């Protein structure tokens, strides 16, 4: 993935975090369309990260399974951690 692609993916990661901050601030009073868009964004990001994880040969099978569980359970809160650790600082490109 190009450096610009990685940076754009990192910026998209901030969307769900910002959305959750707004949801807390507004006590969950959000339009249904905004929630639907956010669910779609999280689903796309989850697919991207699970696909990336499946091809990550730097991790053992057990670690890949663990990361898959963490991504599924913590999704929007864990996306930036995974992005920084394995996408932005991809050791395969060094």
């Amino acid at each position: 993935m190009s450096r610009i692609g990685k940076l754009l993916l990192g910026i998209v990661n901030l969307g769900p975090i910002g959305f959750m901050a707004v949801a807390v601030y507004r006590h969950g009073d959000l339009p249904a369309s905004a929630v639907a868009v956010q669910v779609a964004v999280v689903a796309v990001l989850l697919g991207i990260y699970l696909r990336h994880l499946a091809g990550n040969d730097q991790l053992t099978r057990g670690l890949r399974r663990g990361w898959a569980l963490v991504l599924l359970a913590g999704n929007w809160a864990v996306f930036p951690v995974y992005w920084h650790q394995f996408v932005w600082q991809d050791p395969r490109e060094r």
Side-chain angles (χ1 to χ4, degrees):
M1 182 181 299
S2 71
R3 195 117 169 118
I4 292 175
K6 290 179 180 183
L7 190 57
L8 288 175
L9 184 60
I11 291 169
V12 172
N13 280 330
L14 300 177
I17 294 170
F19 180 83
M20 291 305 293
V22 169
V24 168
Y25 178 75
R26 295 188 60 179
H27 304 289
D29 184 28
L30 297 168
S33 60
V35 174
V37 168
Q38 193 56 38
V39 168
V41 168
V42 169
V44 168
L45 284 172
L46 184 60
I48 289 170
Y49 287 129
L50 288 176
R51 182 171 180 213
H52 184 272
L53 181 63
N56 190 345
D57 55 353
Q58 271 71 38
L59 297 174
T60 64
R61 183 188 298 187
L63 282 175
R64 280 196 300 265
R65 287 179 182 166
W67 267 107
L69 288 173
V70 169
L71 285 168
L72 287 168
N75 54 51
W76 63 269
V78 179
F79 290 161
V81 175
Y82 184 87
W83 173 83
H84 183 265
Q85 190 70 29
F86 298 110
V87 177
W88 184 250
Q89 299 180 353
D90 191 354
R92 293 178 286 186
E93 294 179 354
R94 294 180 193 165

